[in-house]
Amino acid sequence: MRPAAAFSTASPLFERIILGQGSDRLRNPEVEEKPEAPVPQVDYDYVKKLVSRDDCNVVDVREPHEVQADGRIPMTVNIPLDQVKEAFSLAPSQLNARYGLDLKSRTDEVVFHCRSGVRSEKACVMARNAGYKK
């Protein structure tokens, strides 16, 4: 089982993916709790495979204006970071209905991404704190 993961879209076409910068390295005052383990890293090939699956759960935590200006990965759902805590506190069925994710339970895999990796790590911690395990 892979815990919730984070990755970045810092470079064009995701040539370079910066993923899951460990919580020991970054200090995130907006996040109430640190994860029990560092945020795992996933690479470009893993994300590419994930977005090609029917049960893809990749969440873009950038602001809508960033998504519009910079584009998005196909099959991703945009939930801005300031909505992640509330969104992932919903039951999976409510989260699915509101945002269009394909989550059946809190053990389904979710990968978060943003521009540099900072917001995706925060989102990953928030989802873990809400009970998501992968």
Side-chain angles (χ1 to χ4, degrees):
M1 289 193 281
R2 295 179 68 96
F7 73 95
S8 158
T9 59
S11 63
L13 302 175
F14 308 103
E15 293 168 359
R16 182 175 137 247
I17 305 294
I18 304 169
L19 300 164
Q21 295 138 359
S23 61
D24 294 335
R25 191 172 80 74
L26 297 174
R27 300 289 178 241
N28 299 322
E30 295 94 43
V31 178
E32 295 87 31
E33 298 176 36
K34 295 285 185 198
E36 60 237 25
V39 175
Q41 297 182 9
V42 294
D43 63 16
Y44 172 79
D45 290 331
Y46 181 80
V47 174
K48 187 175 177 182
K49 287 177 189 172
L50 181 66
V51 297
S52 69
R53 295 185 343 210
D54 288 338
D55 63 342
C56 175
N57 291 300
V58 179
V59 178
D60 182 342
V61 296
R62 296 175 297 159
E63 292 298 318
H65 70 273
E66 293 176 277
V67 174
Q68 187 164 353
D70 300 331
R72 68 179 191 91
I73 300 173
M75 304 298 297
T76 62
V77 173
N78 179 236
I79 304 176
L81 182 63
D82 64 355
Q83 296 176 28
V84 168
K85 185 175 181 179
E86 177 185 343
F88 281 83
S89 67
L90 298 171
S93 61
Q94 293 172 310
L95 183 61
N96 297 345
R98 187 174 293 174
Y99 295 100
L101 288 173
D102 185 28
L103 295 171
K104 293 163 188 60
S105 75
R106 292 180 189 262
T107 59
D108 287 356
E109 185 171 17
V110 180
V111 176
F112 296 96
H113 86 87
C114 66
R115 186 177 52 84
S116 67
V118 174
R119 289 175 287 182
S120 57
E121 181 187 22
K122 290 177 183 180
C124 186
V125 172
M126 289 177 196
R128 283 183 179 180
N129 290 343
Y132 284 82
K133 303 297 181 205
K134 286 173 129 183

